[in-house]
Amino acid sequence: MQDFATARRMMVDGQVRPADVTDLRLIDAMADLPRERFVPAASAGLAYLDIDLPVHATATASSRRMLKPMVLARMIHACDIGPEDTVLDVGGLTGYSSAVMAALAGSVVSLDEDAELSRHAKANCESLGIVNVTVATGPLTAGWPAAAPYDVILVNGAIEVEPQALFDQLKDGGCLVAIVGSGPATKTTIYRRSGSDVSGRPIFDAHAALLPGFTKVPAFVF
């Protein structure tokens, strides 16, 4: 039987800490949370590797992948989540990223458009006694206006178009972080809202699968 506690410690020491993640609350959350519980049983042995990990047991939706630990940690760290913050996790999958942020925030909405993944997210959080995560199911591009505005919005994957509906759900002073672009030139970008204006800047290179609904429509070429 694999020693998941050791694998978790090696993940934090070998992937998260060297990536300039210094928030001890975040480090402790990732060191404590059993990541193997959030992936298909057959993939549990891969849960702590430095890879984007499929979250479906079958190939029916193989493009939906859990971000690699280092990338997720750096994205969360960039948001500087406070203990009273309200967070929207767009593309929450089986709930891992939401559970990590629940250790930092006041409340988290885990949104996914895949009902099967939402069921897993709800069951995972309940089984671990995480009470400040609400699981919602709906189109990722629409966000979750019912609990808006948010201090932080984490987009769990890559996008090719600006998420205007998500920007509209940010509080004044709030931030949104996403992996922007396609192919090898994608960059994690952090956006901040000031009044009615939203501005973004790249913070590090990263790659992830494109999220449903955020793909750029191909231009017609004569």
Side-chain angles (χ1 to χ4, degrees):
M1 180 178 294
Q2 183 169 347
D3 183 351
F4 288 118
T6 297
R8 202 153 46 243
R9 185 173 65 251
M10 292 175 65
M11 175 194 75
V12 169
D13 292 342
Q15 299 175 46
V16 176
R17 289 182 186 272
D20 294 326
V21 175
T22 57
D23 187 334
L24 295 180
R25 302 170 306 145
L26 175 54
I27 290 171
D28 288 346
M30 296 188 77
D32 291 341
L33 195 64
R35 186 175 165 91
E36 71 276 6
R37 300 268 290 271
F38 294 84
V39 302
S43 301
L46 308 175
Y48 296 99
L49 298 183
D50 183 28
I51 59 174
D52 292 338
L53 194 61
V55 291
H56 280 272
T58 68
T60 56
S62 58
S63 63
R64 302 300 308 279
R65 294 172 178 267
M66 186 183 295
L67 293 174
K68 62 178 62 178
M70 180 272 288
V71 171
L72 177 65
R74 291 189 70 180
M75 291 176 75
I76 295 174
H77 188 260
C79 295
D80 192 23
I81 298 172
E84 303 299 323
D85 284 353
T86 301
V87 177
L88 175 62
D89 187 4
V90 177
L93 299 172
T94 57
Y96 177 74
S97 51
S98 296
V100 171
M101 292 188 288
L104 313 177
S107 63
V108 179
V109 176
S110 181
L111 172 67
D112 209 281
E113 62 183 38
D114 186 317
E116 178 189 353
L117 293 177
S118 292
R119 285 193 295 271
H120 284 302
K122 188 172 189 296
N124 288 332
C125 289
E126 287 179 349
S127 69
L128 293 168
I130 300 170
V131 299
N132 60 333
V133 172
T134 300
V135 177
T137 304
L140 302 184
T141 54
W144 196 250
Y150 300 97
D151 298 283
V152 172
I153 298 178
L154 177 82
V155 181
N156 243 304
I159 61 175
E160 292 182 322
V161 295
E162 286 199 336
Q164 188 57 55
L166 302 184
F167 290 157
D168 292 342
Q169 293 172 36
L170 275 177
K171 286 183 181 178
D172 189 11
C175 75
L176 179 149
V177 64
I179 298 170
V180 179
S182 59
T186 53
K187 292 186 179 293
T188 302
T189 302
I190 189 165
Y191 298 87
R192 293 199 177 273
R193 179 166 188 166
S194 177
S196 60
D197 296 326
V198 176
S199 59
R201 62 180 177 86
I203 50 176
F204 65 91
D205 295 340
H207 179 73
L210 284 167
L211 284 177
F214 290 104
T215 304
K216 185 181 295 184
V217 177
F220 181 77
V221 178
F222 289 95

